[in-house]
Amino acid sequence: MLSSSHEALHRIFQEDPGLFARAVRGLGVSFPPPVSASPLPTDLTETRPMERRVDTLLRMDTGDGEFILAVESQGKRAPDKPASWAYYLSHLYAKYGVPPVLLVVCADRSTAAWAARQVDIGPPQWPSLTLRPLVLGPDSLPVIASPDEAARDIPLTVLSAALHRRDPDADAILNALAKALKGLSAEDEDTAGIFIELTEQGLGKTPAADLWRYLMAVDLSFFQSETAQRLRAEGRDEGRDEGRIEGRTDDILRLLDGRGIEMSAEERERIAGCRDLDTLDVWFTRAITATSAAEVLGSGEAV
């Protein structure tokens, strides 16, 4: 005996699964009749703890209402991510009853293009859910290369630097950002320290990070935050190492030229381009007595 009309309206599909395809024809949607149908447990409660974490979650109140902003930082393509993102949004809407928005931030153009795809969840005749992330990537955020523009929105400039960290424009953005931070008052040093650290983290292990350390050592030398002082120290260390390397390569080239040892353009370039100080020291010692550039560099030796 059915206990209510509620029960009848869904139990009937258990009795005749093919009813679904027949019933929705009136909606203009065509599904093939099932060859078979298997009942699944109806309890969707998680039976074991499952960790699901969004990177940043904010409840945003605006003049037009409120929404929940879920921010995900995505470094590479991940086939299982769209399903996780759909789960996040559904869970947030069920929990808070507030419309959710998903923002995916990618510093890689290929990943940004992948993340921006609309994902339909469900059969092609009638997708029940559509995932539409907002995606910020290098091509969707402007290059902020003017110190005045950077000063008007320092957080946006930090994000611009992070997203363009592998682009030729990165140097201009960082120079503009350094000048904008330099214009902050002493009272803003704590705030500036946060943006200095976020910039460092956002640049990762790229050549732009080396420039940022240099700018910290020169343009922003007055900031006393822990991050600023560490970056300055790293910049000074790198500067000293670079100076020793340049000096040693000059010594080797001048020594070989002075001894009349002929060098091909490739050999000269190899010496000038070496950045390993230990290798350069070995080459310098050899150059004192070597009779050829090949003898200095070592036959078949990897550098």
Side-chain angles (χ1 to χ4, degrees):
M1 177 67 67
L2 302 181
S3 60
S4 67
S5 59
H6 169 83
E7 289 287 314
L9 290 178
H10 70 82
R11 281 283 301 277
I12 192 171
F13 292 97
Q14 296 178 25
E15 300 301 323
D16 182 3
L19 174 61
F20 165 71
R22 302 194 302 275
V24 298
R25 288 174 189 162
L27 299 176
V29 183
S30 178
F31 279 87
V35 175
S36 65
S38 303
L40 296 173
T42 57
D43 186 354
L44 302 183
T45 305
E46 296 286 356
T47 57
R48 59 184 175 84
M50 181 176 294
E51 185 173 343
R52 297 184 185 271
R53 293 181 182 273
V54 67
D55 290 336
T56 287
L57 193 62
L58 301 169
R59 187 165 184 154
M60 313 284 279
D61 292 311
T62 74
D64 296 331
E66 60 180 355
F67 63 93
I68 290 179
L69 178 63
V71 184
E72 285 278 278
S73 174
Q74 193 66 26
K76 62 181 180 180
R77 300 185 184 201
D80 60 335
K81 268 298 183 177
S84 296
W85 290 338
Y87 177 92
Y88 297 162
L89 296 176
S90 298
H91 175 80
L92 291 170
Y93 189 57
K95 181 175 182 178
Y96 296 103
V98 176
V101 174
L102 172 65
L103 176 67
V104 182
V105 187
C106 309
D108 174 72
R109 285 180 170 82
S110 175
T111 304
W114 165 81
R117 297 174 307 155
Q118 175 176 303
V119 178
D120 292 326
I121 300 173
Q125 296 92 335
W126 194 266
S128 298
L129 290 175
T130 298
L131 179 68
R132 298 177 60 208
L134 286 171
V135 177
L136 284 176
D139 294 330
S140 55
L141 200 68
V143 170
I144 300 177
S146 160
D148 290 340
E149 187 179 0
R152 286 193 292 270
D153 198 334
I154 287 177
L156 186 65
T157 308
V158 172
L159 181 58
S160 176
L163 293 186
H164 292 281
R165 63 193 181 195
R166 296 185 181 90
D167 294 347
D169 296 316
D171 290 6
I173 300 171
L174 292 176
N175 277 291
L177 177 59
K179 290 181 173 63
L181 289 171
K182 194 172 183 179
L184 294 177
S185 63
E187 291 77 14
D188 294 322
E189 182 169 336
D190 289 342
T191 301
I194 293 172
F195 293 127
I196 289 170
E197 182 174 1
L198 286 173
T199 301
E200 179 203 3
Q201 293 174 347
L203 295 174
K205 296 181 179 180
T206 62
D210 297 333
L211 172 62
W212 187 240
R213 281 189 286 271
Y214 171 78
L215 293 173
M216 286 300 310
V218 180
D219 287 359
L220 302 179
S221 58
F222 55 91
F223 279 116
Q224 299 303 313
S225 70
E226 182 179 341
T227 300
Q229 293 186 52
R230 176 175 54 77
L231 286 173
R232 280 198 291 276
E234 291 175 359
R236 285 193 293 268
D237 289 343
E238 288 186 4
R240 282 193 290 267
D241 289 344
E242 189 65 23
R244 292 175 63 194
I245 288 170
E246 293 293 339
R248 185 56 87 198
T249 56
D250 287 346
D251 289 343
I252 295 170
L253 292 172
R254 284 192 293 107
L255 179 58
L256 292 176
D257 287 336
R259 297 186 58 234
I261 304 297
E262 294 186 0
M263 288 178 283
S264 68
E266 182 180 349
E267 289 168 333
R268 186 177 292 274
E269 183 178 347
R270 185 178 173 190
I271 294 171
C274 180
R275 310 326 284 166
D276 185 84
L277 196 54
D278 291 338
T279 299
L280 290 171
D281 285 340
V282 170
W283 288 352
F284 179 77
T285 301
R286 290 176 181 171
I288 297 173
T289 58
T291 58
S292 69
E295 187 178 340
V296 172
L297 298 175
S299 176
E301 211 174 76
V303 178

